[in-house]
Amino acid sequence: MTPIYIDYLNALDIEALALTNTEILVAIETSLAAQGNGETVIEPRVHLEPDAAFRGHFNVLRGYVAPLDLAGVKIVGDFVDNYRLNYPSEFGVLTLFDPRTGAPRAILDATVITDMRTGAITALGAKYLARKNSKVLGHIGARGTAYWNVRLLDQLYNFDEIRVHSRRPESRDAFAAKLSHDLGKQIVVTDSWRACVEGADIIVEATRLPEPQPLLKTEWIKKGAFVVPYGTMSAVELSLTDIMDKLVVDDWGQCKAGKFGALRAHVEAKKLSETTLHAELGQIVAGKKTGREHDGETILFWHRGLSLSDIALGHAFLEKARAAQIGQRLRFA
């Protein structure tokens, strides 16, 4: 048998490769177009909850992206109390395979990949669904994905004002300081949800609630806004979908099933259904469905996370690593 090798990129390799904002967005947008064109397979995510006392769970995401000639499986742990250990809330490992033989091709640290691809989906949702003249961002939550939400959104919109809020003052202050340093602009730290989101053009809710709680009030959302709620536990009111002109998701198969997600109650109440759903984002990117059609539309985008995004970003890292001769090759067989 011909020897089989696995490309291995650890967390230090991922950091050294330093994908640019543009490289991240291009990789994810390409995978969304593939999804919209029917060139992918997405298997419903599954969960493992080891013990309720641990206040966390594992997500297992699986997919195939034909244009990249890759299948992939990512396992990511999501644990509320990791900050107490100075850990990120999520740790992840991405494995990539030959889709024709099943031979393994690569293993990558996916902790930062998860954050990056989540931020890229948020930003690309805004690219197609937010007003082009959006100038005020209100962001709730300061966990790992939050940084890439704001960084990549600002890459596209260059906001006049960025407001942030999270439950713990030390968390939101540190988050704002990092953003201010990296983006080179002032960040407004707010002491309430309302001060953060009321009147904002783009609103992102990325909280870490231990249980559902309707903290984001529908009445605070202005007409024409773009709203992205994606916390594991819902932080929005059931009435939120009532004011929306379009409801968009990343993958309806994942959004309509499972026990977690910001709009789980809305699915159960049939407020979000095959009838009320406007499109998946990939369909819009591929030109199969319309995005924003005028400034007066109020639009909601709910994303649960795509295995396709992990695979696409993993592929981008591997290509750059090979060119830069970063990483290791491990003999598998």
Side-chain angles (χ1 to χ4, degrees), residues 94-111:
L94 172 65
T95 54
L96 298 176
F97 301 88
D98 184 320
R100 291 168 177 78
T101 67
R105 288 186 176 174
I107 300 173
L108 298 86
D109 175 274
T111 305

Side-chain angles (χ1 to χ4, degrees), residues 180-296:
S180 181
H181 176 270
D182 292 356
L183 302 181
K185 59 177 61 178
Q186 181 180 0
I187 306 298
V188 178
V189 180
T190 68
D191 60 5
S192 71
W193 283 63
R194 182 170 189 169
C196 186
V197 306
E198 191 169 36
D201 300 308
I202 297 176
I203 298 160
V204 181
E205 178 275 308
T207 55
R208 298 285 300 139
L209 299 180
E211 59 188 20
Q213 188 176 359
L215 298 171
L216 176 59
K217 304 300 182 182
T218 303
E219 65 186 41
W220 299 338
I221 309 301
K222 76 173 186 179
K223 186 172 178 55
F226 173 58
V227 184
V228 188
Y230 74 85
T232 300
M233 297 294 178
S234 178
V236 302
E237 294 184 305
L238 198 60
S239 60
L240 181 63
T241 52
D242 296 342
I243 68 168
M244 298 297 163
D245 296 293
K246 287 188 173 83
L247 301 174
V248 178
V249 301
D250 57 352
D251 174 58
W252 177 236
Q254 292 188 110
C255 289
K256 70 180 180 181
K259 61 181 290 186
F260 298 115
L263 267 65
R264 180 60 49 225
H266 300 76
V267 173
E268 293 171 358
K270 306 297 183 184
K271 287 179 175 287
L272 176 58
S273 66
E274 283 88 349
T275 301
T276 64
L277 179 68
H278 172 68
E280 294 179 337
L281 182 59
Q283 295 174 312
I284 296 172
V285 174
K288 308 290 187 182
K289 294 285 185 73
T290 58
R292 176 174 287 270
E293 295 176 271
H294 58 81
D295 285 353

